[in-house]
Amino acid sequence: REEFEDIVYPLVEIQGGFEKIERGKLVRTGNKLGDVKKNKAQSQALYGRYMIEDFWELFDVLEGKIDTNDNTPVNGETIDTEGNSSDDSTAASKQEEEPQQDKKSSSQLGSKITALMDIGHGIGLQVMQAGWTLDVPSRGIELMEGRHRIAEAIREGVIDELRNVQAG
């Protein structure tokens, strides 16, 4: 997870940061009624972004690693300050010392994520995040061409940066 952030955040900062990108015309187009002209059933495509950190939490909830009621780890999982989860044997042994009932995720989720489909992917970060960090097939569809172009540019920047890291 940290590797993903270490590459994506600097690329976004080179472009002026998320706020500048999101204030730009390529992203804002679609937010007003009437911006989507080719589709009679939809007249706007509102843009909204999940923060990368929040998507880590969403992954952990879907995989049953944290309880949805109080955001606490379940069944020996630990969540570090970076939002990473792991099966921490030290934490598990401490739990054994203090008798506690095994906690189950209130969401009754807990299956490994096997794919991600993001309908309305915006600038595409979550599609890359899932594919890279969960190692699952991930795809996105975006109605607004400008947002898709930004997503492609970020993806190409990430690929170039990974090539540089591997070559260096």
Side-chain angles (χ1 to χ4, degrees):
R1 292 177 176 195
E2 191 175 311
E3 179 185 33
F4 178 79
E5 293 175 6
D6 288 347
I7 289 180
V8 171
Y9 284 135
L11 288 171
V12 169
E13 286 307 311
I14 289 170
Q15 302 304 316
F18 286 116
E19 291 74 22
K20 182 178 179 186
I21 292 169
E22 292 168 351
R23 281 192 315 260
K25 184 178 180 182
L26 291 176
V27 172
R28 283 195 348 242
T29 299
N31 285 348
K32 295 184 300 192
L33 282 174
D35 277 354
V36 179
K37 305 214 185 298
K38 295 179 183 176
N39 187 335
K40 292 179 183 178
Q42 180 176 349
S43 64
Q44 69 188 83
L46 291 176
Y47 175 80
R49 172 177 48 95
Y50 266 99
M51 299 299 293
I52 291 172
E53 301 82 16
D54 295 332
F55 227 61
W56 296 138
E57 187 174 324
L58 177 62
F59 292 158
D60 289 339
V61 167
L62 291 173
E63 290 188 333
K65 295 176 182 176
I66 60 175
D67 188 300
T68 56
N69 285 332
D70 58 9
N71 284 351
T72 58
V74 294
N75 298 332
E77 290 284 337
T78 59
I79 310 296
D80 68 25
T81 58
E82 299 297 318
N84 300 324
S85 64
S86 63
D87 185 3
D88 188 347
S89 58
T90 306
S93 66
K94 285 181 183 177
Q95 286 178 352
E96 288 172 14
E97 293 170 13
E98 301 171 16
Q100 293 180 357
Q101 186 175 357
D102 258 1
K103 189 173 193 179
K104 293 183 181 177
S105 173
S106 62
S107 67
Q108 297 303 312
L109 300 173
S111 299
K112 175 141 177 49
I113 297 170
T114 58
L116 177 92
M117 180 62 181
D118 188 353
I119 299 173
H121 68 63
I123 61 174
L125 291 178
Q126 284 69 39
V127 175
M128 286 189 297
Q129 187 175 359
W132 184 349
T133 62
L134 299 176
D135 195 28
V136 298
S138 58
R139 300 289 182 268
I141 298 172
E142 179 55 61
L143 178 66
M144 305 308 297
E145 182 181 344
R147 296 174 192 170
H148 183 70
R149 288 196 337 228
I150 292 171
E152 287 178 326
I154 292 173
R155 185 193 72 213
E156 290 304 315
V158 167
I159 290 170
D160 289 345
E161 186 61 29
L162 286 173
R163 286 182 184 135
N164 292 337
V165 168
Q166 290 174 350

